Amino acid sequence: MDSTQLLKGVLDVAVLAVLNREDGYGYDVVRRLRAAGLEDVGDASVYGTLRRLYANGALTSYVVPSEGGPHRKYYGINDHGRSVLTLQSKGWQDFARSMDRLLSDEPLPTLNTTPNPSAPNRSETLEDKK
């Protein structure tokens, strides 16, 4: 399966989760995501996500001087970012449970709903409609 499409949908929550553990600069966040198993994450995607999350008020930033090169811009999660992380984590867990259920061999639960008489009958075949 091509994980790049999946990654696009969860990159915000992945970056927030990394920064919830410890502040970090751009490439440090990339490195930690890859170490966690997201090997296909792109540098540009992470940098863009950091900028967007910062602009949306989920992150703070500060500059740390470096003796061996340019100063580094660090990002940290704030209270708003932690709220976003909590909400997105719950959404991810609900989605993952649903996918696990669909992909398992266990029977799917049925919903107890009453039929809608105005809804089209999906059990009809093309022959029935002629």
Side-chain angles (χ1 to χ4, degrees), residues 9-80:
V10 297
L11 191 53
D12 284 11
V13 71
V15 167
L16 289 170
V18 163
L19 293 174
N20 194 46
R21 294 171 181 248
E22 182 181 3
D23 293 359
Y25 56 93
Y27 188 71
D28 177 54
V29 173
V30 171
R31 182 187 54 76
R32 289 194 272 162
L33 288 169
R34 288 177 180 161
L38 302 178
E39 294 91 5
D40 294 335
V41 69
D43 297 12
S45 295
V46 172
Y47 286 105
T49 298
L50 287 166
R51 284 190 297 275
R52 189 172 20 72
L53 289 171
Y54 177 77
N56 290 339
L59 301 178
T60 60
S61 71
Y62 54 94
V63 175
V64 175
S66 174
E67 293 179 17
H71 300 326
R72 290 189 172 140
K73 184 175 186 177
Y74 277 74
Y75 292 91
I77 193 169
N78 58 26
D79 289 340
H80 174 64

Side-chain angles (χ1 to χ4, degrees), residues 65-112:
S66 174
E67 293 179 17
H71 300 326
R72 290 189 172 140
K73 184 175 186 177
Y74 277 74
Y75 292 91
I77 193 169
N78 58 26
D79 289 340
H80 174 64
R82 278 186 275 285
S83 296
V84 170
L85 175 59
T86 298
L87 185 64
Q88 289 187 358
S89 294
K90 182 183 178 332
W92 170 256
Q93 291 164 355
D94 292 345
F95 179 78
R97 272 192 297 276
S98 296
M99 288 304 299
D100 285 343
R101 194 175 309 119
L102 285 169
L103 296 172
S104 75
D105 290 336
E106 296 176 27
L108 295 175
T110 57
L111 296 176
N112 293 328

